[in-house]
Every structure is written in C-alpha cells, then in structure tokens.
Amino acid sequence: MTATLAHRGDRTSVPTFGRLLVVEFLRLGRRRFTKVLFALSIIGYLLAVGFLWQSHSKVTAGDLAQATAQRNQQIVEIRQGVADCLKVAGNTEQQCGTVPTEQEFPIDQFVSANPFQPRDVQPYAMAVGAAVSLAGFMLAATFIGAEWSSKNIVAWLFYEPRRLRLMWAKLLALSGVVLVLSVIAQVLWNVTARLLLSSRGVPVSTLGADAAQFWPDVVHVQIRAALVVVPVMLLGFGLANLIKNTAAALGVAFVYLAVVESVLRAISPSLQPYQFTTSLLAWVNKGGLTVYGDLVYDQKNGYVQPLEIHVSNLHGGITMMAYALVVLAVSIAWFRRRDIA
C-alpha cells in the first residue's frame, strides 16, 4: 500500500512537457535582457523608418509626367541615333546598338526628387531579417548562457532530470518566440514599405509589366528572410550551451563568419557554396546567388576566367540548416553525457 502511494506520488511530481514549455515561455518573457532587447529593437526600427521618411521626398503626378516625357524623348533620340547609324554602309545592328523599351529604361532616372524606390523594398526586407536574426542569436545565447553562469541548470535537473526533455522545451520556447517576432517584423516592414511608396516614393505601377509580380516577389523574399532566424538562433543556443559562456559564443561565431570563412574563400573560392554566409545570401536572394569559383580555361573563348557557380535558394537553406543542426547535435550530445554537478 505504501509503495503504491509512493509510486503515485512520484508520478504526480514529475512535470509534464506542457508544464515545462509554459515555464520556459514565462521565463523567456520575464527576462530583463528580453525586455531590453525588444525595446531597443522597436526604437531602432522607428529611428530607421524616420530616417527613410526624412531622406526621401514625395513625387507628385506632375513630377511623374515630366519624368515620363523626358524618358520618352530620350528613347526617341536613341531610336533616331540607331536609325542614322544603320544608314551608314557596313554598320550592323550589333555596332549601332538597340533601342531600349520603356521597361528597360526606368522612369526613376528622370525624377528630380529623391523618392523611395520599389527596388529598395526587398533589400530592406533582408536587412530586417538580418537584424532579427542577430537579435535571435543573442537572445538564444544569453538564455542558455545565463543558465550555466548562474548554475540554474543544476537546479533545473533536480526539477526535471530528463535532460533531453528539458532541452527540447527550451528550444521550442525559443523557436516559437523568435519566429513569431521575425514574422511580425516582416509584416510591419511590408506595411511600412507600402506607406513609404504611397506617400514618399514612386508608385509600383511605374514598373510596367513587372508591377503585377512585385508584391508577391517581395512576400517570397520576406518569408525566406523571416525563416533565417531559426538556424541562426539554433547556432547561438548550441554554441552557448557547448561553451557555457555567452560572450565566448558570440566571439566564436564572429571569428568563424568574419575571419575563417573569408580565409577559406580566399584559399579556395570553390568552397563558397558550402559556407554559411554564402548560403544565407543564396537562401534570401530571389533566384539564389551566383558566386565565382576557381580559375578555369574556357576553350571556346580561349580565356582563363573564374568558374561561375549558381547557389540556389534550396541549396542555401539546406546548407544553412546543416550548420545549425550539426552544432546543436554536438551540443546536446555533450549535455547528455557530461556530469553537470
């Protein structure tokens, strides 16, 4: 009878995974660093938007009409020049050039004001993704790093001795928070970009045939930029858990990304498709990224030139996640086997 009651008492004292997850969410939200980082991010975003608003001026309908007339006049002059060139005996179309179309001759080149351009929307979306990813790295590194520096990890293992369950709860809570914040940041930028274009920029309709696909392309880039935070966060968590120090994890990441990969890129350019920084850019950019590898001899032209290597979005995403999962797997394997006490 006593053994049965003791056994029941042990079962009720074991925390469920749901309880662990709720506790991790609450701890993450109540951390001072989380609140400070969130506040600084909001302030930084408002300052950046304010700078964009002040540095660009509104384009009126009269400005667009004048710019369109100048662009059309320029096309007429080029067409006349090409026609005069072709009249000369012996000249070919290759020598005289071609007449650009309206789509090939952007109207913004003739606008005297400094409007916010549609072509700037995607780069700024990638910048927002990079900023959120850096914040996610710091949040993840400090979250587990503080556990080690304060020895709270030992107390946690008394509460939940199953180490894997504890790690998965922390990772799931972190992933959920940073991913939601990353998506919110991209939605906020999408709304901000539309406001800037409508009030301080050039309308998307000036893109001509490309206008219909403009916003879908922007959303696709934003989705990929928002997802970058996941592997970056996993890297921060894995490094800080492995090294047991937040500052050291930041230092290792900086040295590898800024120094080691640059050295490897200089030694063997063909390694670029397998580097984290190249993979990140390839994942975010529309259509991937083209890099240049080792010098090869082109038999057709008779020149020695670097080999063009196209890194697709899928290749970049897989390589980036592979980095994060390897570091995380080593970190968790170390955590399972090490004597914490």
Side-chain angles (χ1 to χ4, degrees):
M1 180 69 176
T2 304
T4 302
L5 291 176
H7 178 67
R8 290 178 179 175
D10 291 339
R11 287 184 61 185
T12 56
S13 64
V14 174
T16 62
F17 186 77
R19 290 175 59 190
L20 281 176
L21 195 59
V22 170
V23 171
E24 293 295 347
F25 273 117
L26 293 176
R27 293 179 66 250
L28 185 60
R30 292 174 180 176
R31 292 188 67 226
R32 181 180 301 175
F33 182 81
T34 303
K35 298 176 181 178
V36 172
L37 185 63
F38 183 76
L40 291 177
S41 299
I42 293 296
I43 294 173
Y45 184 81
L46 292 177
L47 290 175
V49 172
F51 174 78
L52 290 175
W53 184 273
Q54 292 296 327
S55 59
H56 295 89
S57 55
K58 184 177 181 179
V59 179
T60 63
D63 294 332
L64 290 177
Q66 182 180 3
T68 302
Q70 291 178 356
R71 190 267 308 277
N72 294 339
Q73 179 63 30
Q74 190 75 23
I75 293 177
V76 170
E77 293 176 359
I78 294 175
R79 182 181 293 109
Q80 184 62 42
V82 171
D84 293 340
C85 177
L86 291 174
K87 292 179 181 179
V88 178
N91 285 351
T92 62
E93 292 185 358
Q94 184 176 3
Q95 293 173 321
C96 296
T98 59
V99 180
T101 63
E102 293 183 356
Q103 287 74 25
E104 296 172 342
F105 217 161
I107 193 176
D108 55 12
Q109 298 181 14
F110 302 91
V111 177
S112 58
N114 182 31
F116 184 75
Q117 302 291 343
R119 64 170 179 265
D120 295 330
V121 175
Q122 290 189 19
Y124 280 117
M126 292 187 284
V128 170
V132 175
S133 297
L134 178 60
F137 183 97
M138 296 177 62
L139 184 63
T142 56
F143 186 58
I144 189 63
E147 298 278 79
W148 286 107
S149 61
S150 63
K151 305 298 182 182
N152 282 342
I153 196 71
V154 179
W156 267 112
L157 290 178
F158 279 109
Y159 178 66
E160 173 51 88
R162 292 169 292 186
R163 299 184 180 188
L164 281 182
R165 284 169 61 89
L166 182 62
M167 277 293 143
W168 292 135
K170 292 180 180 297
L171 282 170
L172 190 56
L174 271 170
S175 301
V177 170
V178 298
L179 187 57
V180 168
L181 291 178
S182 184
V183 171
I184 291 175
Q186 292 296 337
V187 171
L188 187 60
W189 168 244
N190 192 288
V191 174
T192 304
R194 292 175 183 270
L195 178 62
L196 287 171
L197 288 173
S198 62
S199 58
R200 312 290 286 185
V202 177
V204 177
S205 58
T206 59
L207 297 177
D210 297 331
Q213 194 60 28
F214 176 77
W215 286 114
D217 287 343
V218 169
V219 171
H220 292 159
V221 170
Q222 287 189 291
I223 291 174
R224 293 194 297 271
L227 293 176
V228 168
V229 74
V230 175
V232 173
M233 179 275 299
L234 294 178
L235 277 176
F237 185 91
L239 286 174
N241 185 53
L242 192 61
I243 305 174
K244 299 195 302 183
N245 186 279
T246 302
L250 293 171
V252 168
F254 175 79
V255 169
Y256 177 77
L257 296 177
V259 180
V260 175
E261 287 204 345
S262 298
V263 173
L264 292 176
R265 190 179 297 114
I267 294 175
S268 179
S270 60
L271 294 177
Q272 291 181 86
Y274 309 102
Q275 294 182 337
F276 187 86
T277 50
T278 303
S279 300
L280 190 152
L281 292 174
W283 165 252
V284 176
N285 283 331
K286 178 185 176 181
L289 182 69
T290 299
V291 296
Y292 296 93
D294 298 325
L295 295 176
V296 294
Y297 177 74
D298 190 344
Q299 295 181 351
K300 182 179 180 180
N301 299 322
Y303 296 111
V304 176
Q305 56 188 11
L307 177 66
E308 290 189 2
I309 305 174
H310 180 71
V311 186
S312 65
N313 296 132
L314 181 61
H315 179 97
I318 292 175
T319 304
M320 192 169 48
M321 279 300 298
Y323 271 86
L325 293 178
V326 167
V327 172
L328 184 63
V330 173
S331 171
I332 291 179
W334 172 89
F335 181 73
R336 288 186 63 187
R337 298 172 181 270
R338 189 173 180 85
D339 185 8
I340 305 301

